[in-house]
């Protein structure tokens, strides 16, 4: 009894061809998956930047409005110093709690974005 006949060789050739095709499809799937995740990440970054800029502009206008509202009773220099002091306190709080307010949520967001199937 012979183990290698023409039909076995042909079947092995078909199997090798199917494996090559499967590997090619897996590579294509991986490329498309990476492209999708990069596009989603770039989109999220652009949206975050636009929202950040809008909020920054709102805070600038609100800061001037607060300073000018306090100016008649305190004077302009004191009113602007109070607004600046408020931002210094916010900055110090931000620096103290940056891990829980920024780093952990950002890591969770990026992990969910990149690990999602």
């Amino acid at each position: 009894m012979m183990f290698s006949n023409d039909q076995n060789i042909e079947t092995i050739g078909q199997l090798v061809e199917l494996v090559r095709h499967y590997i090619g499809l897996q590579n294509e799937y991986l490329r498309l998956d990476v492209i999708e995740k990069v596009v989603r990440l770039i989109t999220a970054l652009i949206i975050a930047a636009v929202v950040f800029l809008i909020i920054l502009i709102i805070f600038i206008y609100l800061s001037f409005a607060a300073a000018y509202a306090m100016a008649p009773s305190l004077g302009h220099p004191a009113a602007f110093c109070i607004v600046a002091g408020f931002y210094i306190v916010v900055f110090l709080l931000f620096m103290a709690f940056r891990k829980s307010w920024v780093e952990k949520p950002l890591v969770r967001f990026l992990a969910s974005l990149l690990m999602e199937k």
Side-chain angles (χ1 to χ4, degrees), residues 10-72:
E10 185 178 321
T11 303
I12 291 172
Q14 290 173 346
L15 180 62
V16 167
E17 192 60 36
L18 283 174
V19 168
R20 283 185 185 157
H21 183 67
Y22 175 77
I23 291 172
L25 289 176
Q26 286 296 89
N27 286 339
E28 185 68 23
Y29 172 74
L30 183 62
R31 270 189 251 130
L32 290 174
D33 191 44
V34 167
I35 289 171
E36 176 196 5
K37 289 179 181 182
V38 167
V39 167
R40 289 174 61 197
L41 183 62
I42 290 172
T43 303
L45 288 174
I46 290 172
I47 290 171
V50 168
V51 168
F52 175 76
L53 287 175
I54 291 171
I55 290 173
L56 182 66
I57 292 168
I58 290 169
F59 275 125
I60 289 171
Y61 278 103
L62 287 176
S63 297
F64 277 106
Y68 281 112
M70 290 185 283

Side-chain angles (χ1 to χ4, degrees), residues 63-84:
S63 297
F64 277 106
Y68 281 112
M70 290 185 283
S73 60
L74 300 173
H76 283 350
F80 279 97
C81 284
I82 289 172
V83 171

